[in-house]
Amino acid sequence: MAELYSKPVRIDPYRLRLECRGQMVTDATIFASEAINLEPDAVHQLCDAACLPPAKKVLATADIHVGFGVPIGAVLGLDGAIMPPAVGYDINCGMRLLQTPFHKGDVDTDKIAVDIAREIPLGEGKENVTLNKAGIEAVISKGVSSVPELARTTSHRAWEAFDPEQFADDLRRIEENGCLPADPAAVPKTAIQKGMNQLGTLGGGNHFIEIQYIQSILDPALAKSFGLSKDQIVVMIHSGSRRFGYEIADEYMNVAARRPENSGRPKMLSYLPTDSRAGEDYIAAMAAAANFAFVNRQIMALLVRRCFNRMFGPTPLKLVYDVTHNMAKLETHGGARLWVHRKGATRAFGPGQMAGSLFAQTGQPIIIPGSMGTASYLLVGTGDSDESLNSVNHGAGRVMSRTAARGKGRRGRTAGPGLISDEQFRRSMEGIRLIAGDRSKIKEEAPDAYKDIDEVVRIVVECGWAKAVARMVPLAVLKG
């Protein structure tokens, strides 16, 4: 959209400014160091977002890379508007971290990984928990609070690991306590149909389950408050709302594109006024997808717990936190009420904003994965991040496209070589057990296709937005 793109101008070691020019209605900021590669197309997409009439604040974290319309890693503060493309197709894709009572060397992590892969379907189009109409409406309306009801009314092995006391503790450790106000009537029928049997599945792409160990403790006091210690085994789950969320996103992107205020605007840059019926419906449907995703990760956590229980007897796997990174929420920043869209970005509230929760003293936990073969981090928000709308990056961010990493394919055959060789991929995963749902696409997720997670997290910490608690590295990786 932008006729004249603003060029990034570095204003300090961690900030670049895109000045308002051409059709832009606001400046934009990119939080990145000199070491971070910036794709010109991703920068152009950020300028496009800054051209939107309701845009009041536009920024990108260090993991910025090209997305559909709006770059991944973007944070948009919109006034009176909700934008489906700025949330994305995988609504409430998010992270969940479970701690175990074991330490590196105590358990056979390869064996556990294989067992988990038997319990949780990996890859696209897979099925697991089957719901009836009442069941999926309960998930949509109640989020994670629907799980006890599902355990009573449906038959599935996941419920073998359900424990009421553990469940009550889980609820307090999920963003929004695992439920947003939703309306089943706003959900397209196609989403209902697709979601009836997809709970408890991982999905494809960059979704994963990792068995990790804590390589280093970066803040001993905070780590102790979470019950974490060096060499401790943890399990990280990364997944979202599956095809249920995709159908909702696709439907409302089409609705937005047809509206008069978006005439002449590309579909992937279309928005909905929040005071319109369509805007209200999308907000309610988005919340339904968020609730579905929260329940999806809860069920996968139950299946992981079931695996540990079967292998070691009753084993407490305490939830550290469950956080979303593809959502829009109405928040107050600088005295203004804005719809804050985090597309591939994570909320980073400080202690004050977490008042009344378990995290009123520590700040909100933030889970930032790298890539398979590299590290992941646990951080906590400081509350000193209003410049980023209390947001941080959701991961390392890609440095090359999936096609570039894997190579071009044609009818199941390689038509052009990828930038990552088989040997390069093998070396990057040395010492890590890899279980992949689709081996033909696995190089898309190679560590070398991603930015340096240590540098990306360093920027967050140096900007003062979060404190680093622990650095984890994988022992076993399950990928879709």
Side-chain angles (χ1 to χ4, degrees), residues 269-327:
L269 287 170
S270 298
Y271 62 89
L272 295 164
T274 53
D275 61 0
S276 68
R277 175 62 185 271
E280 292 173 352
D281 283 348
Y282 172 71
I283 291 168
M286 176 186 67
N291 293 343
F292 187 95
F294 281 134
V295 175
N296 190 37
R297 292 195 291 273
Q298 182 72 21
I299 290 174
M300 284 191 281
L302 287 174
L303 290 168
V304 169
R305 285 166 171 162
R306 180 175 182 268
C307 290
F308 275 82
N309 289 343
R310 286 194 306 170
M311 197 168 291
F312 305 107
T315 306
L317 264 62
K318 193 178 186 69
L319 176 61
V320 177
Y321 200 60
D322 182 304
V323 65
T324 177
H325 54 232
N326 280 356
M327 278 298 296

Side-chain angles (χ1 to χ4, degrees), residues 127-424:
E127 302 177 358
N128 201 347
V129 179
T130 298
L131 302 177
N132 57 21
K133 185 174 183 291
I136 197 161
E137 287 187 353
V139 168
I140 290 170
S141 303
K142 302 178 184 177
V144 178
S145 293
S146 69
V147 169
E149 180 180 337
L150 299 182
R152 289 193 305 270
T153 59
T154 65
S155 176
H156 197 273
R157 60 191 179 279
W159 315 134
E160 295 173 17
F162 178 79
D163 176 84
E165 290 186 11
Q166 189 172 58
F167 176 75
D169 187 59
D170 285 350
L171 279 179
R172 300 187 298 166
R173 298 174 181 275
I174 304 173
E175 186 173 331
E176 306 295 347
N177 301 121
C179 184
L180 291 171
D183 182 2
V187 177
K189 290 181 180 179
T190 53
I192 298 289
Q193 292 167 355
K194 297 290 186 180
M196 297 285 271
N197 53 20
Q198 279 204 321
L199 284 175
T201 64
L202 184 67
N206 63 353
H207 295 148
F208 66 78
I209 299 171
E210 287 187 3
I211 301 172
Q212 308 168 336
Y213 76 96
I214 297 176
Q215 186 185 61
S216 54
I217 295 293
L218 306 173
D219 189 309
L222 283 170
K224 184 178 180 181
S225 72
F226 290 120
L228 301 176
S229 59
K230 191 176 186 303
D231 291 331
Q232 186 176 7
I233 300 291
V234 297
V235 180
M236 187 175 287
I237 300 172
H238 175 209
S239 190
S241 51
R242 307 292 287 107
R243 191 73 189 192
F244 181 84
Y246 180 97
E247 293 293 336
I248 289 171
D250 190 56
E251 169 72 15
Y252 283 96
M253 287 179 195
N254 289 330
V255 169
R258 294 193 294 264
R259 287 187 61 87
E261 60 265 38
N262 294 312
S263 177
R265 182 174 289 117
K267 170 183 172 179
M268 300 310 289
L269 287 170
S270 298
Y271 62 89
L272 295 164
T274 53
D275 61 0
S276 68
R277 175 62 185 271
E280 292 173 352
D281 283 348
Y282 172 71
I283 291 168
M286 176 186 67
N291 293 343
F292 187 95
F294 281 134
V295 175
N296 190 37
R297 292 195 291 273
Q298 182 72 21
I299 290 174
M300 284 191 281
L302 287 174
L303 290 168
V304 169
R305 285 166 171 162
R306 180 175 182 268
C307 290
F308 275 82
N309 289 343
R310 286 194 306 170
M311 197 168 291
F312 305 107
T315 306
L317 264 62
K318 193 178 186 69
L319 176 61
V320 177
Y321 200 60
D322 182 304
V323 65
T324 177
H325 54 232
N326 280 356
M327 278 298 296
K329 294 183 179 180
L330 185 61
E331 298 174 1
T332 300
H333 294 275
R337 293 285 280 170
L338 300 175
W339 278 95
V340 178
H341 298 65
R342 298 182 176 96
K343 183 179 183 179
T346 298
R347 194 183 74 175
F349 279 1
Q353 294 156 307
M354 298 300 288
S357 76
L358 293 178
F359 309 104
Q361 301 301 314
T362 62
Q364 176 201 309
I366 304 162
I367 304 165
I368 301 182
S371 63
M372 61 180 189
T374 65
S376 297
Y377 282 83
L378 174 67
L379 304 91
V380 292
T382 62
D384 297 327
S385 55
D386 197 57
E387 64 174 338
S388 70
L389 297 177
N390 292 126
S391 309
V392 301
N393 52 288
H394 85 310
R398 300 190 70 92
V399 294
M400 65 180 74
S401 71
R402 297 179 187 281
T403 301
R406 182 184 78 247
K408 293 182 179 179
R410 185 179 298 151
R411 295 179 182 175
R413 296 180 180 180
T414 300
L419 296 178
I420 297 173
S421 68
D422 291 345
E423 177 59 22
Q424 183 181 359

Side-chain angles (χ1 to χ4, degrees), residues 6-12 15-19:
S6 180
K7 293 183 179 180
V9 176
R10 183 163 295 282
I11 56 176
D12 69 23
R15 295 166 178 84
L16 297 104
R17 181 66 46 78
L18 294 158
E19 292 188 359

